[in-house]
Amino acid sequence: MIGLALAYLRDRAGQSLLNILLLALAVASLTALLLVSTRVEDRFARDSAGIDLVVGAKGSPLQLILSAIFHIDQPTGNIPLDALAMLRADPGVARAIPLALGDNFRGFRIVGTEPDFLALHGGRLAEGRPWQAPMEAVIGAEVARRTGARPGQRFVGSHGLGDDPDGDMAHTHAPYVVTGVLAPTGTVADRLILTSVESVWDVHGIEHDHDQDHDHGPGHDHAHDHDHDHDHDHDHARDRAGTGDPATPPLAGRNALAPEVTAVLVSYASPAAAIRLPAAINRQTALQAAVPAQETARFLTLFDGAIAGARALALLIAAAAALSIFTVLLAAARARAGDLALLRVMGARPAQVFATVILEGLLVAAAGAVLGLLLGHALVELAARAFPTLAGIGVTGATLLPAEGLILAGALLLGALAALLPAAATFRTDLATTLARAQ
Amino acid sequence: MLLDVADLCFRRPGGGGVGPLSFSLAPAEACLLLGPSGSGKSTLVQLVAGLLTPQSGTIRIAGEPMHALAPAARDDLRRRTLAIVFQSLRLVSALSVHANLALARRLAGLPTDPARIAHLLDRLGIAPLAGRLPRELSQGEAQRAALARALVTEPRLLLADEPTSALDDASAAAAATLLLDSAREAGAALLVVTHDSRLKPRFPRAITLGADGRLAGGEAA
């Protein structure tokens, strides 16, 4: 009977196509929302794993979290290097990883940090070796893929955290050399360029005493002899005076040349620290402590609200599609009552006639669902390519999620339910009356 | 007897119906059941096909009591033994002529057998129309296609309900000849119910119904 159901669909191709498109629109919306929300929540969970607290400059705690953990917002400012020492001296702190932000290469953020950052994100070198000397850098898998950079190649960072296609803000005086490429981690590390904190200071001409620097990770050889030409292409002095690019406050918006860091990622040594440490830090005027779990939850609540709204709209479209399928099938079943009676006379069982109508609903739903899934993936992929922030948090259309099976099943169920009443009407058809009327 | 109708009666609440009526039909025999509009001819076709249940009397097809069977068993008996040609309800609208015949064979539990379908269409002179939809056929072409759809299931009893009422004399004569020849070649018994008295001379046997649905004037042979 599937051939007959297909024939009936072909027979009113215009209406069938409209119903398919309507359902496809709903499924595409639901699929796109699923792909984005799943990826965002998953990525937030992965990126913030192992980080109990972020300490940075006063400002919005959400901004601090977004910039220091997810690298999708501007930092709130810088904090004195003493803050890092203070945190490391606290018995409640098991690990404190400094971050020094301020530059990028082709839109990928250059992060001055320590090797512990790699451990935090499960970073493993796929090629080369870790950074050791100043101006050495390890690049994430996504950076390597997108830029084609390999160990041994040099690159010049640009001031600020956004792309600098014209190179106006390039630090040509201080090129980095790639020493290693990370294997994909599925975290923010994939799209970061990691180097030492000192390298970031050096690029910006910040004097620092090598002996008094923060504690380095194992194997970190900082006994370097660097000789920079500080003839910058842009005016850091202006930035320091606070009149520079407002998008690049860290390490460029200070009033002094003392070494600073942008933020510190903290892991607690004991649960008790969670009670004491944030409050203690927030009491200090220069520092702010933000709890990733709280801020992420707050952000996701807002995000979930938007997603829920969009989902409700998609479900409304799906309901409209179901109603349209129902209306068309009911009208079709009435219009071809004679056909259905003839089928019965030709020997079709009532269940077969019923199944023909149900199959019509299912075929429309299946076509709409498959088209919608393809459309949803294509839309998300296009959006990820158009908006770097989406790509940055790992949003992609080139992935299949198990929950998409539920969307497919839901669409099929919708098609079957929409066809149920028109199909059931075939059971109630009085053959004799229908045949008499058709004659 | 292939068809045995005895004391059959079916009366509608608002008036009309058929019977009491008795007649029988031998295998491969052709019979015309003639009656005016409202005499219950179509009702009789539906009773014989098991689409209606008689209020009294019996209908046996190949010895099986159609009148006493459960709906599913009636469907099965209808599928196995008979086919009906209607005046206007000829083919499934969304399927081509060929697809209609193929579906009819499948529903009758027979293999599709494209060669047999092609042969039948050729014999009825509509082979070039095999791929057309019913709405693309003329009246005469559609009638032939409907006959092909009925014969393709190899029925033992072919029922035709007003097959010529909308046709001119020449077309009606041609249709009657086609029905008689096709049934004879297929070895099927043929029962044609109609108010079209033009057909009477062409049939070897005729039963006349009165306006009240009872036998009128006996049987002509």
Side-chain angles (χ1 to χ4, degrees):
Chain A
M1 301 310 274
I2 195 160
L4 183 59
L6 278 170
Y8 277 129
L9 288 177
R10 270 199 308 271
D11 204 40
R12 46 181 168 72
Q15 283 176 322
S16 305
L17 199 64
L18 273 179
N19 282 338
I20 287 169
L21 288 177
L22 199 56
L23 194 60
L25 193 65
V27 169
S29 308
L30 288 170
T31 305
L33 290 171
L34 177 74
L35 286 170
V36 173
S37 63
T38 304
R39 179 58 72 167
V40 167
E41 287 171 15
D42 175 60
R43 196 59 181 264
F44 274 31
R46 278 204 225 181
D47 285 354
S48 59
I51 304 170
D52 297 317
L53 193 70
V54 178
V55 179
K58 289 282 190 198
S60 155
L62 178 59
Q63 188 182 345
L64 178 59
I65 295 295
L66 291 177
S67 64
I69 296 182
F70 309 115
H71 295 271
I72 53 174
D73 201 352
Q74 301 299 325
T76 49
N78 291 322
I79 56 174
L81 196 58
D82 292 350
L84 176 63
M86 178 200 75
L87 286 167
R88 284 181 166 157
D90 193 298
V93 173
R95 182 169 61 183
I97 304 171
L99 302 178
L101 306 176
D103 291 343
N104 79 92
F105 172 62
R106 295 191 190 169
F108 294 106
R109 293 187 179 192
I110 297 171
V111 180
T113 186
E114 294 177 355
D116 270 355
F117 186 86
L118 290 179
L120 184 67
H121 290 297
R124 187 178 53 78
L125 282 164
E127 281 183 76
R129 60 169 177 78
W131 71 88
Q132 289 170 347
M135 306 317 295
E136 289 186 345
V138 164
I139 59 175
E142 179 67 10
V143 183
R145 191 181 69 80
R146 297 274 289 277
T147 63
R150 286 286 172 270
Q153 288 185 327
R154 290 176 178 274
F155 68 92
V156 174
S158 287
H159 197 57
L161 299 178
D163 196 7
D164 175 28
D166 300 329
D168 296 338
M169 308 290 277
H171 292 292
T172 50
H173 65 284
Y176 285 95
V177 60
V178 178
T179 60
V181 176
L182 291 178
T185 61
T187 70
V188 69
D190 290 347
R191 57 188 172 89
L192 296 179
I193 297 168
L194 305 173
T195 186
S196 65
V197 174
E198 291 78 11
S199 297
V200 176
W201 288 337
D202 289 346
V203 168
H204 295 88
I206 297 166
E207 297 294 332
H208 56 99
D209 180 348
H210 296 174
D211 295 332
Q212 70 161 161
D213 283 347
H214 57 279
D215 298 333
H216 300 297
H220 187 94
D221 177 10
H222 197 50
H224 59 283
D225 178 15
H226 56 286
D227 179 17
H228 296 311
D229 172 8
H230 284 187
D231 179 16
H232 294 189
D233 293 344
H234 55 275
D235 187 357
H236 281 302
R238 186 188 60 191
D239 290 348
R240 285 178 210 121
T243 56
D245 179 5
T248 58
L251 296 175
R254 302 177 308 277
N255 294 317
L257 289 172
E260 294 177 322
V261 293
T262 309
V264 182
L265 307 179
V266 174
S267 303
Y268 295 140
S270 67
I275 301 165
R276 177 182 57 80
L277 209 52
I281 292 169
N282 283 329
R283 272 198 300 274
Q284 300 196 23
T285 52
L287 299 180
Q288 172 187 215
V291 180
Q294 288 173 2
E295 298 305 322
T296 306
R298 195 175 302 162
F299 177 79
L300 289 178
T301 302
L302 295 172
F303 178 74
D304 285 347
I307 289 283
R311 192 179 291 135
L313 191 66
L315 289 174
L316 206 64
I317 299 172
L323 197 65
S324 179
I325 293 172
F326 165 77
T327 310
V328 168
L329 285 182
L330 192 63
R334 282 178 183 156
R336 48 177 137 89
D339 260 26
L340 300 177
L342 183 61
L343 283 170
R344 292 277 287 113
V345 170
M346 284 163 69
R349 295 181 177 86
Q352 286 177 299
V353 178
F354 174 84
T356 302
V357 182
I358 291 285
L359 268 174
E360 281 185 64
L362 281 176
L363 285 170
V364 167
V370 170
L371 184 67
L373 286 176
L374 291 173
L375 204 62
H377 280 267
L379 281 174
V380 169
E381 188 58 30
L382 284 175
R385 288 179 189 194
F387 303 106
T389 306
L390 283 179
I393 55 173
V395 170
T396 172
T399 184
L400 270 175
L401 298 174
E404 289 177 58
L406 288 178
I407 293 179
L408 185 67
L412 291 178
L413 187 66
L414 208 64
L417 284 176
L420 198 59
L421 215 60
T426 64
F427 277 122
R428 294 196 299 271
T429 302
D430 180 348
L431 270 182
T433 309
T434 307
L435 288 171
R437 201 178 297 139
Q439 281 288 78
Chain B
M1 284 294 139
L2 179 68
L3 172 65
D4 192 7
V5 175
D7 301 323
L8 177 69
C9 191
F10 183 89
R11 290 287 159 190
R12 298 187 187 278
V18 68
L21 180 68
S22 298
F23 70 96
S24 56
L25 209 58
E29 186 185 3
C31 178
L32 185 73
L33 200 139
L34 200 60
S37 293
S39 59
K41 301 184 300 298
S42 293
T43 303
L44 177 65
V45 169
Q46 291 176 13
L47 286 163
V48 171
L51 302 174
L52 288 176
T53 306
Q55 287 149 357
S56 61
T58 60
I59 302 165
R60 292 182 184 278
I61 300 175
E64 294 188 54
M66 178 66 96
H67 64 282
L69 295 175
R74 282 188 203 181
D75 289 346
D76 185 53
L77 180 58
R78 182 169 61 248
R79 202 168 18 245
R80 285 187 287 111
T81 58
L82 64 89
I84 313 175
V85 180
F86 295 101
Q87 178 187 349
S88 58
L89 195 60
R90 291 160 172 155
L91 298 165
V92 176
S93 60
L95 297 178
S96 69
V97 172
H98 187 281
N100 260 281
L101 269 61
L103 177 65
R105 280 188 67 83
R106 278 201 303 277
L107 289 176
L110 300 168
T112 305
D113 198 351
R116 190 181 187 91
I117 291 172
H119 175 70
L120 185 60
L121 292 176
D122 188 46
R123 196 155 59 82
L124 292 172
I126 51 173
L129 311 177
R132 290 205 192 162
L133 290 171
R135 60 174 171 267
E136 297 166 340
L137 303 176
S138 71
Q139 179 98 323
E141 289 168 345
Q143 192 182 51
R144 284 169 184 266
L147 183 58
R149 193 262 304 150
L151 290 173
V152 81
T153 58
E154 303 166 34
R156 296 171 69 186
L157 173 61
L158 181 61
L159 302 173
D161 190 357
E162 299 284 9
T164 59
S165 55
L167 304 180
D168 59 33
D169 286 353
S171 300
T177 305
L178 185 65
L179 273 169
L180 285 163
D181 290 352
S182 301
R184 188 171 55 249
E185 284 172 31
L190 173 66
L191 177 65
V192 175
V193 300
T194 183
H195 71 275
D196 188 354
S197 55
R198 293 174 298 176
L199 300 186
K200 195 171 179 182
R202 299 188 171 274
F203 276 75
R205 181 183 168 200
I207 300 169
T208 306
L209 286 181
D212 60 356
R214 299 166 194 266
L215 272 179
E219 201 177 318

